[in-house]
Amino acid sequence: MIKVAVLMVTFNGERYIEEQLTSILNQKLDDDIALDIYVRDNASTDNTVAILNKYKKENKIKLKLLENDGPAVSFVSLIRETVGYDYYFLCDQDDYWNEEKVRISLDRMKNNKVPTMFFSNAELVNEKMESMDCTVYKKEPPHDLMTIACSGGILGCTVAFNSELRKYILNIPVKKEKIIMHDYLLALVCAAIDGRIIYYEKPLVKYRQHGNNVVGVSTSVRSKIIARLKNIYKKNDVSISEQTKLVLDSLKDYVSNNNANKLRRIVNYKENSLTRLSLALSSQTKYYSFTGSLSIRLGILMGNI
């Protein structure tokens, strides 16, 4: 039997949570797949908990009610606490899964004995689940170590990974002030230990865009410009150097010398203007688009990322 855990963090998600849970419960699964849903609610003040308690009473989910630690810490904590599964899926409260998502994800990850992470494209939809006629990715995003360490770039709500990768996450201390975002951290760990990262080009998730998104996708020219300017001028709460140092210090026994040297460039990039310039102009980073590359490189040059 293949055991699958779906991990979801909720906060004031009453508008969309039932649609999302329905899409997970309606997955087309082979007879040898057992799927469990784990939900951590971060002190919702709306009707979210009442809705979740209904599903818990029907034995459809396993629920924890906790203080609001934010999505990054909450997801990493869920990964650490959920024991005994072969595969793990990250799940947002407001999206909608293609009925083949689990089956396709497992099919692409099967037979991988090394730490493996899977992510897919996603279709952008509005609040009413109406298509916006575009996807998150127009081409395969780069997912080499240096690019991931500097910019992330992997859509967390599409991510699945195997138990081999989870073992390494257990080595990472849960420190809010050191983790930018859970999906970012997961991808960085996988790349740092030379795990396998698999991209699937077709959308397996309807990625809902609305005013309450913690992380959304900029679609208009104006919103893209604003997002790029923020990357350049706004100083991040957690820097790439802090998150990279956390991973490097925690996994030093599992990271090759070559990868360790790359990561040290990022850990130490703020030391002076030359180290910032060196990383900003590095040919080892391969960002998704020209405008994205420009904003990230300028943000690094200013020491704000």
Side-chain angles (χ1 to χ4, degrees), residues 201-225:
E201 70 281 1
K202 295 180 181 179
L204 294 179
V205 171
K206 293 184 185 295
Y207 187 34
R208 198 190 308 254
Q209 303 297 289
H210 57 87
N212 295 325
N213 284 69
V214 174
V215 178
V217 173
S218 301
T219 54
S220 69
V221 173
R222 180 177 178 275
S223 62
K224 285 181 180 180
I225 292 173

Side-chain angles (χ1 to χ4, degrees), residues 61-209:
I61 67 169
K62 304 176 192 303
L63 175 64
K64 285 189 175 183
L65 304 178
L66 296 164
E67 295 300 314
N68 192 347
D69 292 324
V73 167
S74 296
F75 267 109
V76 174
S77 297
L78 260 181
I79 292 169
R80 294 170 64 93
E81 295 163 3
T82 309
V83 181
Y85 290 84
D86 301 300
Y87 297 94
Y88 296 81
F89 284 70
L90 303 183
C91 179
D92 287 354
Q93 66 183 8
D94 49 5
D95 300 324
Y96 193 88
W97 283 15
N98 179 307
E99 63 184 7
E100 298 279 357
K101 173 176 165 56
V102 171
R103 187 189 61 77
I104 291 173
S105 303
L106 294 180
D107 184 63
R108 295 305 185 278
M109 288 190 291
K110 70 181 181 182
N111 301 325
N112 279 295
K113 303 302 181 184
V114 299
T116 302
M117 176 177 176
F118 170 94
F119 73 111
S120 76
N121 212 335
E123 178 188 8
L124 296 183
V125 297
N126 64 18
E127 294 184 12
K128 298 178 181 179
M129 200 68 72
E130 298 167 338
S131 177
M132 298 171 68
D133 297 321
C134 58
T135 56
V136 171
Y137 303 117
K138 302 297 183 289
K139 59 183 179 181
E140 181 170 355
H143 42 81
D144 59 279
L145 175 59
M146 285 291 286
T147 303
I148 285 176
C150 290
S151 65
I154 289 178
L155 188 61
C157 65
T158 71
V159 163
F161 56 97
N162 64 5
S163 59
E164 290 299 315
L165 180 55
R166 178 184 172 274
K167 292 176 185 177
Y168 291 90
I169 298 297
L170 298 179
N171 290 281
I172 308 293
V174 183
K175 296 183 177 181
K176 187 174 184 178
E177 71 278 6
K178 301 290 185 181
I179 300 173
I180 296 174
M181 194 55 77
H182 54 283
D183 48 357
Y184 198 155
L185 178 72
L186 192 65
L188 178 55
V189 169
C190 192
I193 60 174
D194 287 320
R196 188 176 181 197
I197 299 178
I198 301 169
Y199 171 66
Y200 185 72
E201 70 281 1
K202 295 180 181 179
L204 294 179
V205 171
K206 293 184 185 295
Y207 187 34
R208 198 190 308 254
Q209 303 297 289

